Amino acid sequence: MNYEEERQLSGLDINLVSDLEADKMAMNGQWIKANERVDPSRSPQMSVRHNKTTFTDLVRSADVLSANKAEMVPFTKFGLRDNLIKSELLKNEDTYISIQNYRFFVGTYNVNGQSPRESLQTWLSQDSEPPDLYCIGFQELDLSKEAFFFNDTPKEEEWFKAVSDGLHPEAKYAKIKLIRLVGIMLLLYVKKELAVHVSEVEAETVGTGIMGRMGNKGGVAIRFRFHNTHLCIVNSHLAAHVDEFERRNQDFREICSRMQFAQADPTLSPLTIHKHDVVLWLGDLNYRLKDIELEKVKKLIDSRDYKTLHKFDQLKQQIDGKAVFEGFTEGEIMFQPTYKYDPGTDEWDTSEKCRTPAWCDRVLWKGKHITQLEYRSHMALKTSDHKPVSSLFDIGVKVVNEELYKKTFEEIVRCLDKMENDCIPSAALSQREFHFKDVKYRQLQVQTFTIHNDGQVACQFEFIRKLDEESYSKPWLRANPSKGFLTPGSSMQIELEVFVNNQTAAALNAAEEKIEDILILHLDRGKDFFLSVTGNYLHSCFGSSIQMLCYMNGYMRDTSEETITQLAQMPLQMKDNFLGAEKPAKIPKELWMMVDHLYRNASQQEDLFQQPGLMSEFEAIRDCLDSGYPESLPGSNHSVVEALLLFLEALPEPVICYQSYQKCLESIGDYSSSKEVVSMLPLHHKNVFKYLISFLQEMLNNSEKNHLDIKILASIFGNLLLRPPPDLPKPSNSDKRRCQEFVQQFLQPEDP
């Protein structure tokens, strides 16, 4: 598509609107020619992070739309005057907006990897009046390994068509956006005559599966502006199993913290879920019934005593304890649990596991002017072991009155014109020196300070980069917000966040970098403030090289910085007399501790390498590996697996060295050549590769119990052991498959 203009519709300057041509229409935050027709948007197959460009496909050949220019008010500048106008307009919003109700249909359906076999109209078109907007979420769209590892599935097209065919027949709808992460898919439709009022559309994904990325669990979200109200729709699939409610809580918190939407001004902090007027959260949240016998559950269901049964619901218990969904509301549940049924029937699970029924599938909301009209399940659909759920809302949306808006705008401008330009902005900071004590790998530390406008005029601040530096801060440091605007007498709290990840750990571990930085906080037309940030980093095996760890005598936290610096300078190919007579370990002891723990405790455990661990347990495992205390690794087997995978991902030089990457890809299909490439690796890298392959083969020997297979393990370890050099582009799906095939060769049973 060739966009003639790319104007974000996020603003409040009415004078900019009059120049726009009437033959253009606003769709999904972009201006396009009204006569341009486009193919339906699809979630990209090659990347978990989706392209920001969005456009609209009209379902059922709806007519071309024309723009209502009264509500298209672009505002992309970050000037002091512009922000003051915007601030005053928001303060006086009540003078030019009215609240109008629109009908929202919100639905969620876990389809258990099935293709659609029945019409969805009994779910999507049950009401006599067609809704204004549809928000429809699916989970477990595809359970295949290809979907899990490569985010590629034909089921997306099948269910998209089934939904489009099932929309209310009394209205025509425009599809605003489709977003998918593996089996989690979210669709947003709006009546075609209302599509002109939709703008600023963004979609993002967060995987909360193993290593915090795998998309078998996680969330997808669409945020958009409808008239003058900002909405965010979230579809999530949280961790499974009855006892894993704390992991579900962690998934919720991760989605909230990591789901971020870019703004028109790229230097502004991204928008999070909670920074919206209305949030609708749907999905298979997977919370179960706890501390109640199966027979009693069925008895309460038969008597329709859902109020008593709801007391045993984990989600209710966690919300009551303020552990999750704080500020959200859920309607009264007056329908029987939606999980688990024998597929094709309305009968409860009769499999060997005989799952206790549960309300896994839920809809919650947050915001003002929201009235829930219906909250129900749809028993007629029998494709899955879940039943779909829907909620019908009337949501009050802020609608702009053009004449009143223009009048308010002009009054604000007149007042600004009277202000004297010779006033110098002034501000005071509550603190200018910050020390972060004992910074650890993947453990966030936050300190806050307050900036106060003590002058007579509005002031605008921004952290600016120092000479010859790419960013205003070191990569392990971030200010939130990094720029802002203050009216006279007002204050704002700023967070300084320190977080060491794989990109920054290696330099800190090698003592090439320290927790030290100077931030420059600049006042527009005013002075500069200099903020000192210092700290001490606790060196970790995570982000340290294989060579360093093999030659290290003792644990990381007991080793002097002088020794660490010396070890970090070792070449990959070592001489026997390097660093004296001390004989190095064959593999890093930290790696041995994790693998040995799993070999002894987890060989027969189900869902290994597919279910994430708890962050609190990972932190305890990291501290144990770095300090040697306690003697045995803490935490669940799932958390130890996650620590092992993070350890391999964080290696500054992967197990198969960068220089051998291309040779490995070229040797695929020729096992002898592949073994020769491995034999040429540096000694300790070769030892680690052989050790890990032996461990994985042992896990496969127990596949009847743990249900692992070669493809699963090759897919996970292929892209950890074999990574392209940093100067090459990110690997495509084809490259990832080739890495998988390389490792898979070594996991195949060899002919006797």
Side-chain angles (χ1 to χ4, degrees):
M1 285 179 58
N2 295 317
Y3 291 104
E4 189 158 296
E5 294 182 276
E6 290 190 356
R7 299 186 181 180
Q8 286 291 336
L9 311 178
S10 59
L12 296 162
D13 186 351
I14 198 80
N15 293 332
L16 297 177
V17 179
S18 58
D19 296 330
L20 297 171
E21 297 172 9
D23 68 339
K24 293 177 183 173
M25 61 181 182
M27 305 292 275
N28 296 340
Q30 303 285 347
W31 289 96
I32 63 177
K33 285 185 179 179
N35 60 1
E36 285 180 343
R37 301 306 301 269
V38 296
D39 294 327
S41 62
R42 284 290 179 271
S43 54
Q45 304 286 323
M46 297 299 181
S47 174
V48 173
R49 300 293 292 181
H50 295 280
N51 195 308
K52 294 290 192 301
T53 304
T54 61
F55 48 93
T56 295
D57 166 54
L58 301 183
V59 179
R60 300 198 189 107
S61 301
D63 298 330
V64 170
L65 311 176
S66 59
N68 178 352
K69 294 190 294 181
E71 299 186 20
M72 303 307 157
V73 280
F75 188 92
T76 56
K77 299 177 183 177
F78 189 73
L80 180 59
R81 182 182 177 86
D82 299 318
N83 276 321
L84 190 54
I85 293 172
K86 186 174 183 179
S87 173
E88 291 301 312
L89 281 168
L90 290 173
K91 282 183 188 177
N92 294 281
E93 195 176 50
D94 291 343
T95 63
Y96 59 84
I97 67 159
S98 61
I99 302 297
Q100 290 185 22
N101 277 338
Y102 288 88
R103 185 70 48 89
F104 282 67
F105 179 100
V106 180
T108 178
Y109 193 8
N110 181 320
V111 297
N112 192 33
Q114 303 300 308
S115 294
R117 295 195 297 267
E118 50 196 345
S119 170
L120 302 184
Q121 281 202 335
T122 55
W123 173 36
L124 303 176
S125 304
Q126 180 173 330
D127 304 293
S128 57
E129 184 181 336
D132 297 307
L133 293 94
Y134 276 101
C135 312
I136 303 164
F138 293 95
Q139 307 83 39
E140 295 191 358
L141 204 73
D142 193 332
L143 298 176
S144 70
K145 295 178 182 66
E146 288 72 25
F148 179 72
F149 292 111
F150 303 113
N151 197 30
D152 191 4
T153 174
K155 300 286 180 68
E156 177 184 307
E157 178 67 34
E158 294 173 8
W159 283 101
F160 166 67
K161 184 178 185 305
V163 169
S164 298
D165 292 343
L167 299 179
H168 205 291
E170 299 300 317
K172 291 182 180 179
Y173 291 90
K175 189 199 77 177
I176 299 299
K177 185 66 180 171
L178 180 157
I179 182 78
R180 181 177 60 79
L181 173 66
V182 188
I184 310 168
M185 184 167 80
L186 180 61
L187 286 152
L188 175 64
Y189 295 85
V190 64
K191 278 183 178 176
K192 67 110 178 180
E193 63 269 23
L194 298 175
V196 291
H197 306 305
V198 176
S199 61
E200 300 176 37
V201 178
E202 292 285 347
E204 285 296 344
T205 68
V206 169
T208 60
I210 198 160
M211 297 170 68
R213 284 203 318 274
M214 293 293 194
N216 57 322
K217 294 293 186 290
V220 300
I222 300 171
R223 62 93 50 198
F224 62 101
R225 174 175 161 182
F226 184 46
H227 286 285
N228 217 37
T229 293
H230 294 85
L231 301 98
C232 183
I233 318 298
V234 185
N235 173 23
S236 67
H237 190 191
L238 308 185
H241 305 304
V242 175
D243 296 328
E244 300 291 353
F245 64 89
E246 183 52 52
R247 190 165 277 110
R248 288 187 272 281
N249 295 351
Q250 177 177 293
D251 286 352
F252 168 79
R253 290 190 290 268
E254 276 201 47
I255 293 169
C256 288
S257 64
R258 290 170 49 205
M259 189 76 75
Q260 299 186 342
F261 305 94
Q263 297 202 62
D265 182 346
T267 62
L268 286 179
S269 298
L271 291 173
T272 59
I273 290 171
H274 297 296
K275 291 181 179 177
H276 291 82
D277 301 316
V278 172
V279 180
L280 302 174
W281 197 302
L282 58 113
D284 179 358
L285 306 187
N286 248 327
Y287 288 92
R288 310 300 174 89
L289 296 172
K290 192 180 180 188
D291 301 326
I292 183 171
E293 296 294 327
L294 174 59
E295 290 309 313
K296 187 175 181 183
V297 170
K298 290 183 176 179
K299 187 176 179 181
L300 289 170
I301 293 170
D302 291 340
S303 62
R304 298 191 177 184
D305 189 358
Y306 303 131
K307 190 171 184 179
T308 300
L309 188 60
H310 193 222
K311 294 176 183 177
F312 299 92
D313 176 64
Q314 286 179 334
L315 180 56
K316 172 180 164 51
Q317 293 168 358
Q318 296 303 303
I319 289 175
D320 289 347
K322 300 190 183 303
V324 288
F325 287 102
E326 194 163 359
F328 282 82
T329 304
E330 183 181 23
E332 185 178 359
I333 297 178
M334 297 299 291
F335 51 88
Q336 69 183 49
T338 54
Y339 174 85
K340 180 182 183 181
Y341 296 87
D342 288 338
T345 75
D346 292 333
E347 302 299 320
W348 298 115
D349 181 25
T350 58
S351 69
E352 184 182 343
K353 293 183 178 178
C354 200
R355 304 279 194 194
T356 300
W359 285 297
C360 290
D361 311 283
R362 313 288 274 266
V363 177
L364 299 95
W365 73 90
K366 183 179 184 181
K368 295 179 179 179
H369 310 298
I370 303 173
T371 303
Q372 188 179 56
L373 306 175
E374 298 283 352
Y375 193 23
R376 60 212 172 183
S377 66
H378 300 264
M379 298 293 292
L381 294 183
K382 307 180 193 300
T383 298
S384 174
D385 55 355
H386 290 248
K387 299 294 182 184
V389 166
S390 71
S391 181
L392 204 62
F393 294 103
D394 270 348
I395 298 181
V397 171
K398 296 182 286 188
V399 177
V400 174
N401 179 299
E402 181 180 0
E403 290 302 318
L404 293 176
Y405 175 88
K406 190 173 182 179
K407 182 180 177 183
T408 304
F409 178 89
E410 289 170 350
E411 287 176 0
I412 291 169
V413 171
R414 276 196 297 271
C415 291
L416 284 176
D417 289 341
K418 294 176 183 176
M419 294 177 66
E420 294 293 332
N421 290 326
D422 56 358
C423 292
I424 298 174
S426 175
L429 307 186
S430 63
Q431 187 179 343
R432 299 194 198 185
E433 294 184 356
F434 304 86
H435 183 77
F436 291 84
K437 185 181 179 183
D438 295 344
V439 175
K440 298 178 181 180
Y441 171 77
R442 283 179 67 92
Q443 189 162 326
L444 178 68
Q445 283 198 36
V446 180
Q447 292 190 33
T448 61
F449 70 94
T450 301
I451 178 170
H452 173 71
N453 184 346
D454 58 3
Q456 299 179 17
V457 293
C459 73
Q460 183 164 286
F461 67 86
E462 179 179 6
F463 286 94
I464 59 173
R465 61 187 179 89
K466 299 178 280 293
L467 194 64
D468 298 328
E469 294 196 5
E470 292 182 0
S471 175
Y472 68 83
S473 70
K474 298 284 180 66
W476 42 261
L477 176 62
R478 190 179 77 154
N480 186 23
S482 61
K483 56 168 62 174
F485 165 81
L486 292 169
T487 55
S490 64
S491 300
M492 184 181 295
Q493 196 171 70
I494 297 176
E495 294 181 338
L496 296 182
E497 303 172 351
V498 170
F499 186 75
V500 176
N501 57 18
N502 293 344
Q503 284 68 48
T504 53
L508 288 163
N509 280 329
E512 297 168 2
E513 178 69 71
K514 293 184 178 181
I515 303 292
E516 288 180 2
D517 202 2
I518 299 291
L519 298 180
I520 304 174
L521 183 60
H522 172 70
L523 285 189
D524 189 24
R525 298 189 301 116
K527 64 186 289 188
D528 288 341
F529 297 92
F530 295 88
L531 282 65
S532 170
V533 177
T534 59
N536 66 297
Y537 181 66
L538 297 182
H539 298 283
S540 175
C541 63
F542 290 88
S544 294
S545 71
I546 289 174
Q547 299 283 77
M548 177 193 286
L549 295 173
C550 286
Y551 276 86
M552 186 172 290
N553 183 19
Y555 290 94
M556 186 64 102
R557 296 211 186 140
D558 299 330
T559 305
S560 69
E561 191 150 310
E562 182 184 357
T563 302
I564 287 173
T565 303
Q566 190 179 15
L567 292 172
Q569 295 171 353
M570 290 188 298
L572 277 173
Q573 298 288 0
M574 300 297 304
K575 294 181 180 178
D576 293 339
N577 61 356
F578 189 84
L579 290 182
E582 193 69 45
K583 189 176 181 182
K586 291 184 177 179
I587 62 170
K589 60 185 170 301
E590 296 84 356
L591 175 65
W592 174 85
M593 288 172 68
M594 290 184 281
V595 170
D596 184 64
H597 177 96
L598 294 171
Y599 172 74
R600 287 185 289 104
N601 299 296
S603 294
Q604 298 184 2
Q605 181 157 344
E606 251 186 287
D607 292 334
L608 211 62
F609 295 101
Q610 296 173 78
Q611 184 169 318
L614 286 170
M615 179 54 69
S616 58
E617 292 181 353
F618 164 75
E619 291 171 356
I621 292 166
R622 175 204 58 209
D623 290 345
C624 174
L625 295 173
D626 289 338
S627 66
Y629 181 82
E631 290 185 4
S632 59
L633 291 177
S636 69
N637 292 331
H638 295 299
S639 295
V640 176
V641 162
E642 185 140 20
L644 170 62
L645 299 181
L646 286 169
F647 174 86
L648 295 173
E649 185 186 45
L651 288 171
E653 183 84 29
V655 175
I656 296 176
C657 302
Y658 288 132
Q659 64 189 24
S660 301
Y661 175 76
Q662 204 59 45
K663 292 178 183 176
C664 288
L665 297 189
E666 291 167 0
S667 73
I668 292 167
D670 184 345
Y671 186 42
S672 297
S673 297
S674 296
K675 286 198 292 186
E676 187 176 341
V677 174
V678 171
S679 70
M680 300 301 290
L681 292 174
L683 176 62
H684 297 100
H685 284 253
K686 179 168 59 181
N687 290 344
V688 167
F689 181 82
K690 290 181 176 179
Y691 181 64
L692 288 171
I693 292 296
S694 297
F695 166 63
L696 297 180
Q697 288 172 336
E698 181 61 32
M699 299 303 291
L700 290 170
N701 290 338
N702 291 277
S703 59
E704 286 189 11
K705 296 281 188 181
N706 59 35
H707 300 145
L708 287 170
D709 65 32
I710 288 178
K711 272 195 172 182
I712 290 175
L713 293 180
S715 297
I716 293 171
F717 282 85
N719 295 289
L720 290 174
L721 304 182
L722 194 57
R723 305 200 305 262
D727 57 339
L728 289 184
K730 286 188 176 181
S732 66
N733 272 358
S734 174
D735 294 333
K736 290 178 182 178
R737 285 192 174 95
R738 293 169 74 194
C739 292
Q740 170 188 330
E741 290 167 12
F742 180 85
V743 171
Q744 192 167 323
Q745 298 174 117
F746 293 87
L747 298 179
Q748 300 279 7
E750 293 195 38
D751 295 330

